Amino acid sequence: MITSITPDSLRERSFQTLIKDYLVHDNAYIESFNSGYDQNLAIDTDCLFSFLETTQEKQINKLKEIYKSNFKNKVLDNLDKELRARGSIDVLKHGIKDYGVKINLAYFKPPTELNPDQVILYQQNILSVTEELNYTGNKRIDLVIFLNGIPVITMELKNAFTGQTYKNAIKQYKEDRSHLESLFRFKERSIVNFAMDTDVAYMTTRINGDSTYFLPFNKGVGDSGGNPLVEGKLSTYYIWEEILEKDSILEIIHKFTFIDSKEVTLDKGYTSIKETVIFPRYHQLDVVRKVLNHAKYKGSGEKYLIQHSAGSGKTNSITWITHRLASLHDADNHIIFNGVIVVTDRVILNQQLQDSIYQLEHKVGLVAKIKDGSSQLADELEKGTKIIITTIQTFPYVLKKLEGTKGKKYAILIDEAHSSTSGKSIMALQESLSLEEAAALAGKDEAEELDAEDKINRELEKFADRDHISFFAFTATPKPTTLKLFGSEGEEGKYYPFHVYSMRQAIEEKFIFDVLQNYMTYKMFYNVNKKIEDDPSFSKSKATKSIARYVSLHPHNISQKTEIIIEHFRSSTMKKIGGEAKAMLVTSSRLHAVRYKLAFDEYIRLHGYSDLKTLVAFSGSVKEEGDEYRETKMNGGVSEAGLPKEFDKEESRILIVANKYQTGFDQPKLHTMYVDKKLSGVKAVQTLSRLNRYCAGKESTFVLDFVNEPEEIREAFLPFYKVTVLNNDIEPNEIYRVERSIYDKQVINREDVIVFTDLFYKEQQSKVDISVMNNSINQSVNRMVGFTKEETIEFKSLIGKFINLYMLIIQVVPIVDSDLHRLSIYLRYLIRKIEVEDTGGVDLTDKVLLQYYKLEKKTEGAIQLDGDNEGVDIRFGGNSQIAEEATDYLSVIIDNLNKKYGTDFSESEKLAVAQIRSNLRGDKELELKAQVNSYDVFKHAFEPRFLDGVIQEYDKNQEFYGRILKDDKFRHNFMELLMLDVYSSFKDEKNHSA
């Protein structure tokens, strides 16, 4: 055993060397070197042929006879083609064929030890690690792990003791590693890329510049994020000691990794396939392994409650556990479960389970979906189908049927579900009811109704013979009865989940939003609004007129609430998420939903708001003043099943619901929720959690509650997130006190703030601009050099307080205070610099954030800045700050290409560029995407259009267009030049027309 990797040992040796040595000496890796690595192929050829010669001598000799002296080149060429076509995961799992000869690229652990030859082959896999891999040209990366010569993991490592963290590693991946480089080509080589320091780890399966999305890969500390302290070890020790242990990483590649393919619908009904490489997060890997180990040891007849936060990837966790339980053997090599039954009402899980398990197993018929009810279920059980997916409604029949299968053992996985199984009284709603009566009736009905969780619990309470059935229940919000039925009994008779990934940890890891961060009752909203309007301190803000009517607001005054909701949505919410934000109104009854829908549409019509469309969701029909209303008709013919897709469209902004879509509905663009319904307990958590999903450009959420009290909501969240705090009152003038406190620290110069924000709002920053912006931030950082740790924490806390309070205030009233707004932008970038020291300059590459702010403010038109900044005028919209386009931009493109690639393109190529640019500028769908998306999002739409255009024009200039198609780097460079031009032209057109 080598010396433990501790903070003390890191002072003497590099972090990466210590990890490499541990893998070699303690985890049975071999050390590989740059000399055996082929940069063009991104393959360690030494390890590859060593593995092939050892494990498949007969096949290799046959290929040597075929290819003679060119044997290695031919094998490598064929392998490279297969990796490009199928991806490294598929090639490693299923091998390749070369001239009729089957070659395995890896051997995975057999489910039993009954075949000793397979065990020997498994042991002959070569896991190797290269330190400072020279992967292309002179570019190096800290550590790369290979399986039989094929790269599977890359690692950028930072030592917190030298002042750098995982954030520096993420920055390197985004800025210095390209998806066009062989090692990082999506799917084709490295499966996962880790950005890690001595405290925490993050991962991504797709390198994509600024759009690269890293997920946390941490154990968590209790209910919190991060990693626990372990005496004698660094906090991220589990990566090299546990995750990268030889059996572990081979199991992950074999049993966990796969390509998730989803069909997504684009504008105008076009569809495309979106692929994602799936690699488990730590909590997913941990729960699967713990469940399997427990079931292997205990056998059937056990129960497991898995409490994982909403948005934590439960679908994949269910997929992995289902797949593994179906083939789980005990210590004596006996199968434990004859079959696995998944109970769910989620259509997406039905299909994803079948698709994902096929990706993992490549066997048809392993999974059966029950479509024809109880008779089909009986047939599948009789046939011995390993995995059966059925609905909540058939659950009683499943239990009854399994009671008659003596001698057979089953695992039942129950997916989180809360669909209504009652609602009889509300379905009988008549037109004679008042709103008060309808709300009371709906409340009574909801209190008495059984959701799917209640129904399942009641059925299980009656189920006696459990010895041959194991139950696995997944939920983010378990009820007490669920905890008692599925939980593990601890001391003092209390019941606990088998495994937890808490809401708190998910929030701290920025995997979901804390929906209570910006939660307001209407009383609070009104008070803040009125204080801002009546307070002379805000006179310079020119705050918009109040839309609050608190004094006269009756509990069921729908017309007044309609004005408040729509005007708030238009003034605040509508500009969020790059102008794509959506809202949900939760109503007390179906009659309320109908009345709100009618009132909203009339208000929108009278005010001419053509950019706002509402949808409504309720069950059955409602009679009102002689008319009968149904959801489909009120939504213009949109079917009930098609409503989520319709709500995803740009023009559909507010969804009005009555006891629908409050649970299990996933729309990441939901930013704001208006609550006009009494909520309590689990229902409150489930409803408000509809807002918690992240998406590009989404920075916050907002809740405006007309009915509930903050303390009631806090109590509802406590069992799932133990430190939630809600403010009962907000003093808007506090923002000025915090502003003064920040400037009193003598860290920030007002002139730096003005310089930074002036440049921030330019459409395009030059290198000089970015340098000046860097300097404006660094001026403040330099003034903190003498700060103690406590002073730094205090100052950072002040900044956080200002940012949060400002964001909350502008949710209420869109004040236009130039000083506050400038400071809020400056502080957002300064706080990053305080968090991450020595990053080589402030990170100004977050284009999504940049575009979000610009779009939000642009839509407000011209803003005059007065007060201390008299004479300064920043205008949002138009092109007053955009430099004039070069008189002959096409020549510039040709000159750049000629200089960089030594070509000699001339006038004919300029004409070719002009033609393809003209075609792209005339593409209406591209124009729409440019006008509503950031530059980074626009890239995804532009690339296929660009390639289509090249192919279409190919015959007109085969030399030029041929070079584009054949040379990846040339194509990328040319495409970037043209894309910037096309994107800018579309943005200009939008600004001129505004």
Side-chain angles (χ1 to χ4, degrees):
M1 178 72 183
I2 67 169
T3 306
S4 296
I5 302 176
T6 64
D8 287 336
S9 65
L10 270 181
R11 291 185 175 91
E12 300 172 8
R13 306 169 68 194
S14 74
F15 188 19
Q16 66 195 42
T17 301
L18 286 167
I19 293 176
K20 183 253 310 183
D21 287 348
Y22 189 96
L23 292 175
V24 172
H25 295 295
D26 285 71
N27 267 347
Y29 281 59
I30 70 164
E31 183 173 5
S32 49
F33 302 93
N34 280 299
S35 58
Y37 180 76
D38 186 309
Q39 288 191 358
N40 292 324
L41 296 173
I43 293 173
D44 188 320
T45 57
D46 284 359
C47 286
L48 172 67
F49 285 105
S50 176
F51 166 75
L52 294 177
E53 298 274 8
T54 302
T55 59
Q56 298 157 84
E57 184 179 6
K58 186 183 295 184
Q59 293 92 320
I60 295 306
N61 285 337
K62 189 170 183 180
L63 288 174
K64 285 179 178 178
E65 290 176 10
I66 296 169
Y67 291 130
K68 310 300 181 188
S69 60
N70 204 25
F71 152 70
K72 285 192 176 181
N73 288 334
K74 287 291 189 179
V75 170
L76 288 170
D77 182 59
N78 186 39
L79 175 57
D80 179 52
K81 288 176 180 175
E82 290 292 296
L83 286 166
R84 285 174 178 265
R86 294 161 48 202
S88 56
I89 294 175
D90 193 55
V91 166
L92 284 168
K93 288 184 180 184
H94 305 110
I96 65 174
K97 284 190 176 181
D98 192 329
Y99 231 92
V101 178
K102 173 69 184 296
I103 299 176
N104 290 304
L105 276 305
Y107 290 98
F108 296 101
K109 197 169 189 175
T112 70
E113 297 179 0
L114 299 177
N115 188 335
D117 291 339
Q118 285 297 314
V119 174
I120 292 171
L121 286 169
Y122 169 72
Q123 292 168 347
Q124 290 175 327
N125 284 304
I126 299 173
L127 274 168
S128 62
V129 55
T130 302
E131 184 180 7
E132 290 290 337
L133 179 72
N134 214 173
Y135 68 91
T136 184
N138 295 319
K139 295 177 75 171
R140 292 173 176 263
I141 189 164
D142 293 339
L143 287 180
V144 178
I145 291 169
F146 298 84
L147 173 56
N148 303 321
I150 297 176
V152 290
I153 298 173
T154 74
M155 304 179 80
E156 286 286 4
L157 305 167
K158 300 300 172 187
N159 181 357
F161 300 103
T162 64
Q164 291 203 330
T165 74
Y166 76 94
K167 291 188 178 181
N168 300 83
I170 288 176
K171 190 171 188 286
Q172 268 188 286
Y173 272 120
K174 288 185 174 184
E175 296 181 358
D176 301 336
R177 315 298 181 208
S178 170
H179 67 282
L180 299 175
E181 293 164 338
S182 298
L183 181 63
F184 301 108
R185 283 186 182 276
F186 176 65
K187 292 196 312 180
E188 295 178 18
R189 295 299 191 275
S190 176
I191 297 171
V192 66
N193 309 280
F194 279 97
M196 187 169 80
D197 61 28
T198 51
D199 296 318
V200 292
Y202 281 72
M203 68 167 195
T204 185
T205 58
R206 187 170 203 156
I207 301 298
N208 192 24
D210 294 335
S211 300
T212 306
Y213 183 50
F214 279 85
L215 293 168
F217 195 86
N218 301 304
K219 285 189 164 189
V221 183
D223 290 328
S224 303
N227 288 304
L229 297 174
V230 179
E231 188 175 353
K233 295 179 185 291
L234 298 172
S235 293
T236 46
Y237 78 94
Y238 61 94
I239 299 288
W240 56 90
E241 289 193 20
E242 298 173 9
I243 304 302
L244 297 181
E245 188 270 329
K246 193 169 183 178
D247 286 341
S248 169
I249 196 62
L250 283 166
E251 180 201 26
I252 291 171
I253 293 170
H254 186 209
K255 298 293 188 180
F256 288 88
T257 60
F258 64 94
I259 308 295
D260 181 32
S261 299
K262 286 190 177 73
E263 185 180 86
V264 293
T265 302
L266 307 175
D267 295 339
K268 299 181 181 178
Y270 296 115
T271 60
S272 67
I273 301 298
K274 179 185 178 183
E275 292 187 322
T276 306
V277 170
I278 301 297
F279 190 94
R281 290 182 60 202
Y282 184 84
H283 71 274
Q284 294 172 316
L285 188 64
D286 192 53
V287 70
V288 174
R289 286 178 168 174
K290 284 179 176 173
V291 162
L292 293 176
N293 288 337
H294 193 273
K296 187 170 185 173
Y297 174 71
K298 288 283 191 177
S300 61
E302 299 296 315
K303 53 187 181 179
Y304 305 82
L305 178 61
I306 297 159
Q307 182 183 335
H308 282 192
S309 170
S312 63
K314 286 194 293 296
T315 297
N316 282 335
S317 299
I318 291 171
T319 297
W320 286 315
I321 291 177
T322 299
H323 176 241
R324 301 295 294 280
L325 289 175
S327 60
L328 187 65
H329 290 71
D330 62 21
D332 296 321
N333 295 321
H334 297 137
I335 193 79
I336 295 176
F337 298 108
N338 297 95
V340 181
I341 300 171
V342 182
V343 182
T344 180
D345 261 359
R346 286 196 290 160
V347 175
I348 187 172
L349 184 62
N350 276 334
Q351 190 58 49
Q352 191 165 337
L353 256 178
Q354 187 159 346
D355 294 345
S356 300
I357 289 173
Y358 178 76
Q359 283 272 351
L360 291 165
E361 194 74 15
H362 264 243
K363 288 183 181 177
V364 176
L366 193 66
V367 181
K369 292 186 290 187
I370 303 303
K371 298 178 181 177
D372 302 325
S374 57
S375 60
Q376 186 193 354
L377 175 63
D379 292 341
E380 298 297 344
L381 288 172
E382 189 68 30
K383 284 193 301 185
T385 302
K386 293 300 292 185
I387 297 170
I388 298 171
I389 307 173
T390 188
T391 64
I392 300 290
Q393 288 72 29
T394 63
F395 184 67
Y397 181 80
V398 170
L399 293 181
K400 183 178 179 181
K401 189 66 182 174
L402 292 183
E403 284 182 335
T405 56
K406 300 299 181 184
K408 291 187 176 181
K409 299 176 180 179
Y410 292 91
I412 297 180
L413 282 79
I414 303 169
D415 177 32
E416 181 177 43
H418 306 279
S419 55
S420 173
T421 58
S422 178
K424 291 180 181 177
S425 57
I426 196 68
M427 293 298 287
L429 192 60
Q430 299 296 316
E431 59 182 316
S432 59
L433 291 176
S434 66
L435 284 171
E436 288 84 350
E437 291 169 330
L441 184 60
K444 178 176 179 292
D445 188 76
E446 191 170 319
E448 294 174 354
E449 78 175 357
L450 297 179
D451 67 13
E453 187 175 350
D454 296 321
K455 184 178 179 182
I456 286 170
N457 291 342
R458 289 197 176 186
E459 293 294 336
L460 282 175
E461 284 171 349
K462 298 183 289 184
F463 186 65
D465 185 10
R466 301 186 189 179
D467 291 341
H468 67 301
I469 309 291
S470 285
F471 293 96
F472 304 79
F474 293 77
T475 180
T477 50
K479 295 181 178 179
T481 51
T482 305
L483 266 169
K484 188 170 183 180
L485 270 172
F486 295 102
S488 307
E489 187 172 3
E491 296 178 3
E492 302 174 2
K494 293 183 178 180
Y495 291 83
Y496 301 90
F498 178 81
H499 196 274
V500 176
Y501 178 68
S502 70
M503 183 186 298
R504 177 180 174 183
Q505 183 176 348
I507 289 170
E508 289 186 3
E509 292 184 334
K510 299 192 183 304
F511 201 65
I512 61 172
F513 282 100
D514 182 354
V515 297
L516 301 186
Q517 189 71 39
N518 293 319
Y519 174 95
M520 275 195 175
T521 62
Y522 183 67
K523 180 179 180 181
M524 193 191 310
F525 177 82
Y526 171 82
N527 287 337
V528 174
N529 194 308
K530 194 169 192 315
K531 285 176 183 177
I532 290 174
E533 291 232 324
D534 293 348
D535 199 310
S537 297
F538 282 92
S539 60
K540 66 175 179 175
S541 72
K542 301 186 179 73
T544 57
K545 69 172 185 174
S546 174
I547 54 170
R549 305 285 185 271
Y550 182 74
V551 175
S552 62
L553 186 64
H554 188 273
H556 296 285
N557 192 328
I558 282 178
S559 63
Q560 289 186 14
K561 289 178 186 174
T562 293
E563 178 190 0
I564 292 163
I565 292 168
I566 291 180
E567 293 302 334
H568 174 267
F569 181 83
R570 289 185 59 78
S571 64
S572 181
T573 303
M574 199 168 184
K575 304 176 185 69
K576 302 293 192 294
I577 318 181
E580 296 183 18
K582 298 178 184 295
M584 177 183 283
L585 166 60
V586 180
T587 69
S588 300
S589 74
R590 296 187 307 135
L591 183 57
H592 281 80
V594 168
R595 292 265 187 97
Y596 265 118
K597 171 67 172 168
L598 296 171
F600 272 38
D601 288 351
E602 179 65 8
Y603 188 92
I604 290 167
R605 185 188 67 80
L606 289 173
H607 289 78
Y609 294 157
S610 59
D611 54 354
L612 176 60
K613 177 182 174 182
T614 67
L615 294 167
V616 68
F618 61 90
S619 301
S621 64
V622 174
K623 293 179 180 178
E624 169 77 338
E625 297 182 358
D627 294 318
E628 186 172 351
Y629 296 94
R630 291 183 177 274
E631 174 188 307
T632 300
K633 187 175 180 181
M634 294 194 82
N635 289 330
V638 177
S639 68
E640 186 176 356
L643 184 58
K645 195 172 182 179
E646 184 70 19
F647 188 49
D648 194 45
K649 292 182 178 178
E650 182 182 358
E651 68 272 15
S652 301
R653 293 307 195 105
I654 302 177
L655 177 63
I656 305 164
V657 302
N659 204 27
K660 287 181 76 173
Y661 294 102
Q662 288 176 238
T663 61
F665 177 55
D666 186 3
Q667 171 48 266
K669 294 174 190 173
L670 260 184
H671 175 278
T672 298
M673 182 173 287
Y674 305 102
V675 181
D676 194 20
K677 175 182 180 176
K678 195 70 177 173
L679 297 173
S680 62
V682 170
K683 197 78 169 180
V685 179
Q686 292 166 352
T687 300
L688 296 179
S689 292
R690 295 312 97 212
L691 298 176
N692 69 13
R693 304 299 198 273
Y694 267 85
C695 72
K698 186 173 177 179
E699 288 204 306
S700 62
T701 63
F702 182 68
V703 178
L704 178 55
D705 194 329
F706 291 92
V707 178
N708 302 284
E709 293 297 326
E711 186 58 30
E712 296 170 339
I713 299 298
R714 191 183 76 85
E715 288 296 324
F717 272 78
L718 273 177
F720 312 107
Y721 180 42
K722 296 180 176 133
V723 296
T724 296
V725 176
L726 284 173
N727 293 318
N728 289 315
D729 193 22
I730 295 169
E731 172 52 61
N733 270 323
E734 177 69 14
I735 193 74
Y736 291 113
R737 287 190 279 274
V738 179
E739 179 193 28
R740 284 195 298 272
S741 297
I742 287 172
Y743 280 117
D744 286 347
K745 294 292 182 182
Q746 300 180 50
V747 169
I748 299 172
N749 186 319
R750 292 180 190 269
E751 289 302 314
D752 287 330
V753 175
I754 293 170
V755 168
F756 182 90
T757 49
D758 279 352
L759 293 173
F760 176 87
Y761 276 110
K762 283 182 66 175
E763 282 295 327
Q764 295 175 17
Q765 289 96 12
S766 67
K767 290 183 179 178
V768 173
D769 293 336
I770 292 176
S771 177
V772 173
M773 292 172 78
N774 268 311
N775 186 60
S776 300
I777 296 289
N778 288 337
Q779 296 274 27
S780 296
V781 175
N782 292 338
R783 296 186 189 104
M784 295 178 62
V785 169
F787 275 28
T788 64
K789 181 179 179 182
E790 289 72 23
E791 288 172 331
T792 302
I793 291 172
E794 180 189 358
F795 186 58
K796 184 178 165 186
S797 176
L798 263 179
I799 292 174
K801 184 176 182 181
F802 179 92
I803 292 170
N804 291 335
L805 185 56
Y806 182 73
M807 288 293 287
L808 192 56
I809 289 173
I810 63 172
Q811 295 278 9
V812 179
V813 175
I815 62 173
V816 184
D817 186 317
S818 63
D819 297 337
L820 293 180
H821 191 67
R822 284 181 182 273
L823 183 59
S824 73
I825 293 169
Y826 184 86
L827 292 179
R828 283 180 174 277
Y829 286 93
L830 175 60
I831 199 169
R832 298 179 187 183
K833 191 68 171 177
I834 296 171
E835 280 188 327
V836 187
E837 299 175 5
D838 214 11
T839 60
V842 65
D843 182 3
L844 298 175
T845 62
D846 192 343
K847 305 290 197 312
V848 172
L849 181 66
L850 194 67
Q851 289 296 329
Y852 159 74
Y853 274 117
K854 288 184 177 178
L855 182 56
E856 179 183 14
K857 302 315 294 180
K858 276 180 186 174
T859 53
E860 294 182 10
I863 297 180
Q864 306 293 330
L865 301 185
D866 48 21
D868 295 340
N869 303 313
E870 189 174 356
V872 178
D873 181 12
I874 296 182
R875 293 184 179 273
F876 309 100
N879 65 342
S880 59
Q881 303 248 3
I882 302 174
E884 287 295 320
E885 187 180 18
T887 55
D888 191 358
Y889 185 68
L890 302 181
S891 294
V892 174
I893 291 178
I894 297 300
D895 288 343
N896 282 341
L897 296 176
N898 283 336
K899 288 174 185 176
K900 189 161 188 175
Y901 295 98
T903 49
D904 190 26
F905 300 128
S906 57
E907 285 299 310
S908 63
E909 282 69 40
K910 190 163 72 171
L911 290 174
V913 174
Q915 183 60 54
I916 193 170
R917 179 175 71 162
S918 175
N919 293 343
L920 289 166
R921 281 184 167 188
D923 190 323
K924 293 300 181 184
E925 188 170 345
L926 266 186
E927 182 180 7
L928 178 63
K929 288 187 179 296
Q931 290 175 352
V932 299
N933 287 303
S934 69
Y935 183 71
D936 281 329
V937 174
F938 176 73
K939 284 182 180 181
H940 300 298
F942 183 90
E943 185 167 359
R945 290 287 201 279
F946 168 77
L947 290 174
D948 287 345
V950 170
I951 293 168
Q952 183 180 333
E953 298 290 323
Y954 177 79
D955 289 336
K956 297 177 183 178
N957 192 328
Q958 294 186 10
E959 181 190 359
F960 182 69
Y961 289 122
R963 180 70 183 268
I964 294 172
L965 294 172
K966 293 173 186 175
D967 188 330
D968 289 348
K969 290 183 179 178
F970 182 89
R971 178 173 67 250
H972 178 72
N973 191 272
F974 173 57
M975 189 175 70
E976 285 283 340
L977 288 167
L978 198 57
M979 179 159 50
L980 184 60
D981 169 67
V982 173
Y983 183 78
S984 298
S985 72
F986 285 148
K987 283 293 188 184
D988 287 354
E989 288 171 15
K990 182 181 181 183
N991 292 333
H992 283 308
S993 63

